[in-house]
């Protein structure tokens, strides 16, 4: 028995070594001068957008050594990411040359558009045509096409998403940088224009997140949809800055929002509810309190100092102040209402939200989605839980005591018990098993459901415990800051709103955690957390099918809001967040496993009698 197990393990290791060697040889042979030059130029261009190596406080020609070091670090990281993504896409093209799974619909539709037949549509496709329109314009722009000689073959279309993921890094870095600047302005700190190293590393990890990175090698809508929403979010963060947005900014809000909807219909929740809600709160924050200051001053403390009562008063003050100042609110959010009106018009014209195959995508109330999301987040955020785990190991009694008394939403024991009871009710009365989940064993979700939720009603109910623990850990990563960090709990009565100091000029350097101007450890506000939770719920509970791809945008916005953490108290990690290094390592490991299974562990479908199905085509494991 032991010998046969050892032989099996040895055979697996030898087979894995052989497969990996073949894959490496294929990738190494592809590294021609043109491919390397393209990767270098792309990385240098994106690095210049993220972290230009020039001082804005001096003449444009004045370049210092330190900004060039930062620029070199950013461009090198992007170059390595480009090589990694290129290798992944190349290997997919080598081992899976034909369209696979949803590509069977997407690639032929893109090729139809390539031929100029824009009125022809596959009614099995449920998402709008944004992916194909952007791809065609990308492939056939006159200059680019002459340089690259690209066509609409399967291999070429897949490389499109690699470029999208690289641009996503730039967009995510700028979004995180703007989040930090807006947080600094809100609490009256100096808002540096420099990009923090935490912002850039967060952006890199966003691109490496296994579900995002996996689909960078396939022709799926998810990478481009994520980028479109991030570009809209970046514009929103610019609108809520010190300068009042003008008409041109309003028009751009509508354009970017509609572009996001062209990628996926559920993006309406993020560009209307989340971003529109944040802009409404931004407007209400500037409203002067009335003579009776109770309920006329926005109650919006940082999440680190927020309890269940703060959530209630936050929502109450938002409602009261908005009802008292409707014109101001409408002036700020009318572009988002315009997007909502256009979307409503589309739904009326289309007689539903879904394009094409409506029968298998009927909207329903699926509250269990808001249970599944926490283990998903917890799995991909394991390195971010280091402070919570470390605190429990080193100070178990103090940690338990803080859980009982700490006024933080979703942390207190009574609140945890209440949410656990609600979770049990959802499991009992609203667990929905979509036929696609049970019918397709190519997706990991099939096996997760098979070995957990479908095992027995008792196991399904006991899963409430990991749901609750995962939710606690995720919320802890959003609301926990470095112990030495102290944050104001919000505007106080009879105190004017904090006025941000003038932002120092950029010198092109990456800001480290120990810099006096660093604000990376500032937690999001209560209103931001509520809006994120509400938008996540709206985007998920209407979907009967459970798919990891549906969780991408909720995870991306959550990840952009997570504050930094310094291990300075134990003498290490004073300048960088070591959790991000662990997160990068974790993502690389998960990506390696999932890519290996997809490429080198195919199988053939057979029925219960051993008959080969699907004409003997190889099937592969994927998210």
């Amino acid at each position: 028995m032991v010998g046969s197990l050892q032989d099996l393990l040895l055979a697996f290791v030898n087979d894995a070594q052989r497969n990996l060697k073949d894959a490496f040889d294929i990738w190494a042979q592809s590294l021609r001068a043109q491919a390397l030059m393209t990767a270098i130029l792309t990385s240098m261009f994106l690095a210049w957008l993220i972290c230009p190596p020039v001082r804005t406080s001096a003449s444009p020609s004045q370049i210092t050594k330190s900004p060039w070091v930062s620029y070199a670090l950013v461009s090198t990281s992007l170059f390595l990411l480009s090589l990694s993504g290129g290798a992944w896409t190349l290997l997919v093209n080598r081992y899976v040359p034909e369209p696979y799974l949803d590509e069977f619909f997407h690639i032929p539709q893109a090729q139809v558009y390539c031929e100029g037949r824009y009125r022809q549509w596959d009614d099995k496709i449920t998402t709008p045509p944004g992916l194909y329109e952007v791809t065609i314009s990308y492939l056939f722009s006159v200059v680019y096409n002459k340089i690259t000689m690209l066509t609409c073959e399967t291999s070429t279309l897949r490389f499109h998403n690699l470029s999208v993921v690289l641009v996503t890094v730039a967009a995510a870095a700028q979004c995180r940088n703007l989040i930090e600047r807006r947080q600094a302005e809100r609490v009256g700190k100096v808002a540096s224009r420099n990009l923090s190293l935490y912002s850039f590393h967060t952006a890199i990890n966003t691109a490496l997140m296994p579900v995002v990175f996996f689909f960078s090698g396939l022709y799926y809508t998810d990478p481009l949809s994520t980028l479109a929403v991030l570009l809209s979010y970046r514009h929103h963060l610019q609108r809520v800055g010190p300068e009042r947005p003008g008409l041109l900014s309003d028009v751009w809000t509508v354009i970017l929002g509609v572009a996001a909807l062209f990628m996926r219909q559920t993006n309406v929740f993020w560009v209307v509810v989340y971003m529109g809600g944040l802009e409404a709160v931004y407007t209400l924050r500037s409203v002067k309190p009335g003579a009776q200051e109770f309920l006329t001053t926005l109650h919006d403390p940082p999440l680190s100092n927020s309890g269940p009562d703060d959530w209630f008063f936050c929502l109450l003050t938002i409602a009261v102040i908005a009802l008292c100042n409707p014109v101001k609110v409408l002036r700020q959010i009318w572009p988002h209402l315009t997007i909502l009106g256009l979307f409503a018009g589309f739904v009326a014209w289309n007689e539903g939200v879904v394009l094409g195959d409506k029968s298998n995508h009927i909207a329903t109330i699926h509250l269990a989605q808001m249970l599944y999301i926490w283990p998903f987040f917890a799995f991909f955020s394991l390195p971010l839980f280091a402070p919570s785990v470390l605190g429990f190991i080193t100070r178990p009694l103090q940690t338990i005591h803080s859980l009982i008394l700490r006024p933080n939403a979703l942390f207190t024991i009574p609140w945890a018990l209440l949410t656990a009871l609600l979770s049990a009710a959802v499991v009992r009365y609203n667990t929905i098993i979509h036929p696609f989940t049970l019918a397709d064993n190519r997706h990991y979700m099939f096996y997760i459901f098979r070995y957990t939720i479908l095992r027995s009603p008792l196991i399904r109910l006991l899963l409430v415990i990991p749901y609750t623990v995962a939710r606690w850990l995720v919320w802890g990563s959003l609301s926990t800051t470095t112990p030495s960090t102290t944050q104001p709990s919000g505007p106080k009565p009879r105190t004017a709103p904090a006025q941000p100091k003038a932002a120092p000029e950029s010198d092109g350097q990456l800001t480290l955690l120990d810099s006096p101007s660093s604000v990376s450890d500032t937690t999001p506000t209560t209103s931001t957390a509520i809006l994120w939770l509400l938008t996540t719920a709206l985007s998920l509970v209407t979907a009967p099918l459970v798919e990891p791809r549906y969780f991408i945008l909720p995870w991306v916005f959550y990840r952009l809001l997570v504050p930094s953490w310094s291990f300075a108290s134990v003498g290490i990690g004073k300048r960088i967040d070591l959790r991000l290094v662990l997160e990068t390592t974790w993502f690389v490991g998960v990506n390696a496993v999932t890519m290996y299974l997809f490429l080198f562990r195919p199988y053939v479908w057979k029925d219960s009698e051993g008959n080969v199905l699907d004409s003997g085509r190889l099937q592969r494991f994927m998210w």
Side-chain angles (χ1 to χ4, degrees):
M1 178 67 177
V2 176
S4 61
L5 182 61
Q6 291 178 342
D7 293 340
L8 183 63
L9 182 60
L10 182 61
F12 174 80
V13 171
N14 291 334
D15 185 49
Q17 289 178 341
R18 184 171 57 254
N19 289 331
L20 293 176
K21 183 179 182 302
D22 293 341
F24 181 80
D25 291 340
I26 292 171
W27 175 65
Q29 293 172 7
S30 70
L31 292 179
R32 300 184 179 90
Q34 182 182 5
L36 286 174
M37 186 57 64
T38 301
I40 291 173
L41 293 177
T42 301
S43 303
M44 292 176 64
F45 173 72
L46 291 175
W48 194 281
L49 293 179
I50 297 173
C51 185
V54 295
R55 289 184 183 273
T56 58
S57 57
S59 62
S61 60
Q62 183 177 354
I63 301 176
T64 62
K65 179 180 179 181
S66 185
W68 275 105
V69 173
S70 299
Y71 175 75
L73 174 63
V74 172
S75 57
T76 301
S77 301
L78 289 170
F79 176 70
L80 294 176
L81 180 62
S82 178
L83 288 184
S84 302
W88 165 232
T89 308
L90 180 72
L91 292 173
V92 172
N93 288 335
R94 169 63 177 81
Y95 291 99
V96 194
E98 299 298 324
Y100 185 72
L101 215 58
D102 285 8
E103 285 187 322
F104 182 78
F105 306 105
H106 296 315
I107 289 177
Q109 183 61 52
Q111 292 170 340
V112 166
Y113 272 36
C114 282
E115 297 171 1
R117 292 180 283 142
Y118 300 109
R119 292 181 177 273
Q120 184 173 334
W121 183 260
D122 186 345
D123 59 8
K124 291 294 183 181
I125 298 175
T126 60
T127 52
L131 173 67
Y132 321 114
E133 293 171 346
V134 173
T135 298
I136 302 312
S137 63
Y138 165 84
L139 292 177
F140 288 93
S141 58
V142 177
V143 177
Y144 194 87
N145 189 47
K146 287 184 178 180
I147 294 175
T148 60
M149 300 300 293
L150 292 176
T151 61
C152 277
E153 298 175 354
T154 300
S155 59
T156 302
L157 292 173
R158 284 171 174 169
F159 271 105
H160 167 68
N161 272 348
L162 170 60
S163 302
V164 169
V165 168
L166 291 174
V167 178
T168 297
V169 174
Q174 292 173 345
C175 285
R176 176 61 201 179
N177 177 246
L178 287 169
I179 288 173
E180 293 180 2
R181 286 167 57 184
R182 299 293 90 90
Q183 289 173 334
E185 292 162 1
R186 187 166 56 250
V187 298
K189 291 185 178 180
V190 176
S192 173
R193 293 182 179 274
N194 281 357
L195 181 75
S196 67
L197 180 60
Y198 180 81
S199 296
F200 177 67
H201 202 161
T202 295
I204 288 289
N205 286 351
T206 300
L208 285 175
M209 190 265 193
V211 183
V212 175
F213 189 80
F214 184 90
F215 289 104
S216 69
L218 297 170
Y219 191 65
Y220 271 58
T221 61
D222 305 276
L224 190 58
S225 173
T226 302
L227 175 59
V229 175
L230 280 178
L231 291 176
S232 185
Y233 186 48
R234 175 181 176 273
H235 180 68
H236 150 73
L237 291 169
Q238 292 173 328
R239 283 171 56 83
V240 294
E243 298 182 3
R244 183 188 180 97
L247 179 60
L248 183 60
S249 175
D250 293 342
V251 173
W252 267 112
T253 299
V254 176
I255 293 174
L256 291 172
V258 171
L261 297 188
F262 263 85
M263 307 304 160
R264 179 160 289 171
Q265 297 96 317
T266 52
N267 290 344
V268 68
F269 298 116
W270 295 102
V271 298
V272 173
V273 178
Y274 186 64
M275 299 176 203
L278 289 175
E279 293 202 18
V281 172
Y282 164 76
T283 302
L284 299 179
R285 189 176 288 116
S286 63
V287 173
K288 295 181 179 180
Q292 187 68 30
E293 294 187 353
F294 179 67
L295 297 183
T296 61
T297 300
L298 182 64
H299 184 78
D300 195 14
L303 202 57
S304 56
N305 298 325
S306 175
D309 54 334
D310 295 297
W311 283 49
F312 172 76
F313 282 109
C314 179
L315 291 173
L316 185 60
T317 54
I318 287 175
V320 171
I321 302 173
L323 289 174
C324 295
N325 301 272
V327 177
K328 285 187 177 182
V329 175
L330 290 175
R331 167 62 188 86
Q332 183 74 25
I333 69 170
W334 76 262
H336 300 279
L337 296 179
T338 301
I339 298 171
L340 181 61
L342 293 173
F343 180 74
F346 159 76
V347 173
W349 167 80
N350 186 56
E351 297 181 352
V353 175
V354 177
L355 286 171
D357 186 14
K358 296 182 175 64
S359 60
N360 288 312
H361 297 82
I362 300 174
T364 185
I365 301 299
H366 190 188
L367 297 177
Q369 292 273 28
M370 292 306 295
L371 301 180
Y372 306 147
I373 194 173
W374 304 115
F376 175 89
F377 277 28
F379 176 77
F380 291 111
S381 302
L382 283 177
L384 301 181
F385 303 151
S388 300
V389 175
L390 185 63
F392 186 79
I393 293 175
T394 58
R395 299 180 302 273
L397 295 179
Q398 182 179 345
T399 301
I400 295 174
H401 184 263
S402 66
L403 287 179
I404 299 175
L405 300 179
R406 184 178 179 179
N408 192 286
L410 301 188
F411 262 53
T412 60
I413 297 298
W415 188 259
L417 291 175
L418 175 61
T419 55
L421 290 175
L422 293 175
S423 300
V426 169
V427 168
R428 174 64 177 84
Y429 298 106
N430 197 234
T431 296
I432 298 175
I433 309 297
H434 195 280
F436 284 4
T437 303
L438 303 179
D440 197 341
N441 66 348
R442 293 169 293 187
H443 293 287
Y444 297 136
M445 196 57 65
F446 170 88
Y447 300 96
I448 294 174
F449 267 68
R450 179 179 180 180
Y451 292 109
T452 58
I453 294 173
L454 297 178
R455 294 289 290 181
S456 71
L458 178 60
I459 291 179
R460 185 181 302 181
L461 189 61
L462 289 176
L463 287 174
V464 169
I465 298 175
Y467 295 154
T468 304
V469 173
R471 181 171 58 245
W472 171 72
L473 289 171
V474 170
W475 212 259
S477 65
L478 271 178
S479 58
T480 303
T481 62
T482 304
S484 60
T485 301
T486 57
Q487 301 180 61
S489 60
K492 299 179 181 179
R494 296 183 173 85
T495 301
Q499 296 297 323
K501 300 178 182 179
E505 297 292 345
S506 171
D507 58 8
Q509 300 183 53
L510 292 173
T511 302
L512 301 176
L513 293 185
D514 61 349
S515 170
S517 62
S518 175
V519 290
S520 299
D521 58 356
T522 306
T523 60
T525 61
T526 300
S527 62
T528 301
I530 293 174
L531 284 168
W532 171 77
L533 197 61
L534 173 63
T535 308
T536 297
L538 290 174
S539 64
L540 292 178
V541 298
T542 56
L545 183 62
V546 182
E547 281 230 30
R549 294 184 296 128
Y550 296 168
F551 300 152
I552 289 178
L553 278 177
W555 182 88
V556 167
F557 281 99
Y558 148 77
R559 188 60 192 81
L560 289 175
L561 292 174
V562 172
S564 65
W565 174 272
S566 173
F567 288 90
S569 58
V570 293
I572 58 175
K574 295 180 180 180
R575 311 187 71 186
I576 63 174
D577 190 338
L578 293 178
R579 300 177 309 165
L580 270 62
V581 179
L582 297 175
E583 185 181 41
T584 301
T585 306
W586 173 239
F587 285 170
V588 169
V590 175
N591 280 326
V593 172
T594 53
M595 291 188 295
Y596 178 82
L597 291 175
F598 181 79
L599 294 174
F600 303 118
R601 283 292 177 265
Y603 61 97
V604 176
W605 263 344
K606 294 182 181 180
D607 60 18
S608 57
E609 299 179 355
N611 299 317
V612 175
L613 303 176
D614 197 23
S615 302
R617 282 190 287 264
L618 293 178
Q619 312 300 323
R620 299 175 184 274
F621 298 108
M622 63 186 299
W623 292 109

